[in-house]
Amino acid sequence: MGAPRRPGHEDGGGGSGAAARARDFVQLPVPIIQQLYHWDCGLACSRMVLRYLGQLDDSEFERALQELQLTRSIWTIDLAYLMHHFGVRHRFCTQTLGVDKGYKNQSFYRKHFDTEETRVNQLFAQAKACKVLVEKCTVSVKDIQAHLAQGHVAIVLVNSGVLHCDLCSSPVKYCCFTPSGHRCFCRTPDYQGHFIVLRGYNRATGCIFYNNPAYADRMCSTSISNFEEARTSYGTDEDILFVYLDS
């Protein structure tokens, strides 16, 4: 038997031409799971990734949240620990190994900053001992595309006030799903952190495909330039959690 096909690749029967086409267009079958509250986009993204890997068990997921003490303040390092908990091969790339003190005056971080700073810094400090792979490094779009081309996925922290989906209707695309009583992540001048799952790209049109946990019924798409602006906005630390299919 030959090697299994990577999901989402369109090949034409083998050969270098087919491989090139596969690298030019990738659309992985990552399931869409909607967030339930205004704060749990990162957990919804983690559920999508685990289901894509065939490892999502809802009761075990809830137990993991309790064990890792994940509540209403979810940082990218928390998601890295969550992947490790499920034995998922991962690589967390960031510009800051810990909490950037400059975020203290950002409205998005202000409410929980003092209580979270110590906790998050401890997670970074213990990461190596806990076998959670964290690196301070810069990631390019080519790096991301090469990762996706292998059938792998990634969770990315973006500024939702900047991210623009070319497929969504204008009144809703800047907002996270919020049940009654919770404020919306509407477009504001301030940073609004939000997690998304990358699932592919199209080189010909210069776009990135992703799942936005604000929605339950669609794949989103944006230009590479808009994606880069959203993921490199001040407040994101350019956080990206690479997750590997062969976990």
Side-chain angles (χ1 to χ4, degrees):
M1 294 178 62
R5 283 180 59 191
R6 292 292 189 185
H9 288 191
E10 295 183 349
D11 59 47
S16 59
R21 285 195 297 276
R23 289 193 297 271
D24 286 341
F25 181 89
V26 175
Q27 192 176 114
L28 304 173
V30 180
I32 300 169
I33 298 177
Q34 191 174 32
Q35 64 191 91
L36 299 176
Y37 309 101
H38 69 286
W39 54 268
D40 67 333
C41 55
L43 300 184
C45 288
S46 297
R47 287 178 184 270
M48 293 187 221
V49 168
L50 291 171
R51 182 166 290 173
Y52 173 69
L53 297 176
Q55 296 192 32
L56 181 60
D57 177 276
D58 288 332
S59 58
E60 186 173 343
F61 189 84
E62 292 301 323
R63 286 195 297 271
L65 299 186
Q66 294 178 9
E67 183 175 326
L68 296 173
Q69 299 181 326
L70 300 184
T71 55
R72 291 194 174 199
S73 182
I74 306 296
W75 296 61
T76 318
I77 187 70
D78 290 313
L79 304 184
Y81 273 80
L82 189 58
M83 290 299 115
H84 175 263
H85 177 91
F86 285 98
V88 172
R89 189 160 71 92
H90 62 279
R91 177 178 172 233
F92 170 27
C93 297
T94 182
Q95 292 295 301
T96 307
L97 297 176
V99 176
D100 186 333
K101 288 185 177 294
Y103 296 160
K104 186 171 185 176
N105 295 320
Q106 289 274 320
S107 60
F108 180 81
Y109 288 103
R110 189 179 300 133
K111 183 177 179 181
H112 301 288
F113 189 90
D114 290 334
T115 56
E116 287 292 278
E117 182 180 15
T118 299
R119 182 187 75 84
V120 171
N121 283 337
Q122 285 179 343
L123 290 176
F124 273 96
Q126 297 166 0
K128 186 175 181 179
C130 294
K131 297 183 178 179
V132 174
L133 183 57
V134 181
E135 296 180 28
K136 182 178 180 180
C137 60
T138 298
V139 176
S140 70
V141 169
K142 287 185 178 180
D143 294 332
I144 293 171
Q145 290 175 332
H147 180 78
L148 294 169
Q150 296 301 310
H152 310 312
V153 292
I155 299 174
V156 183
L157 180 61
V158 297
N159 183 349
S160 66
V162 171
L163 189 67
H164 174 96
C165 176
D166 295 327
L167 305 178
C168 294
S169 59
S170 55
V172 182
K173 64 191 173 191
Y174 302 121
C175 301
C176 278
F177 165 79
T178 51
S180 178
H182 291 291
R183 70 183 181 87
C184 184
F185 280 170
C186 290
R187 190 174 180 89
T188 71
D190 296 328
Y191 167 76
Q192 294 291 336
H194 187 55
F195 290 105
I196 60 173
V197 179
L198 301 188
R199 59 181 292 180
Y201 59 86
N202 185 337
R203 288 193 195 275
T205 59
C207 69
I208 294 284
F209 302 129
Y210 63 95
N211 286 358
N212 185 341
Y215 304 115
D217 60 353
R218 71 196 70 177
M219 179 189 74
C220 290
S221 174
T222 192
S223 66
I224 287 177
S225 59
N226 179 249
F227 170 67
E228 284 292 272
E229 182 185 4
R231 81 176 183 96
T232 60
S233 291
Y234 181 71
T236 67
D237 281 329
E238 298 185 28
D239 284 4
I240 180 167
L241 178 60
F242 290 110
V243 179
Y244 295 86
L245 184 65
D246 52 348
S247 296

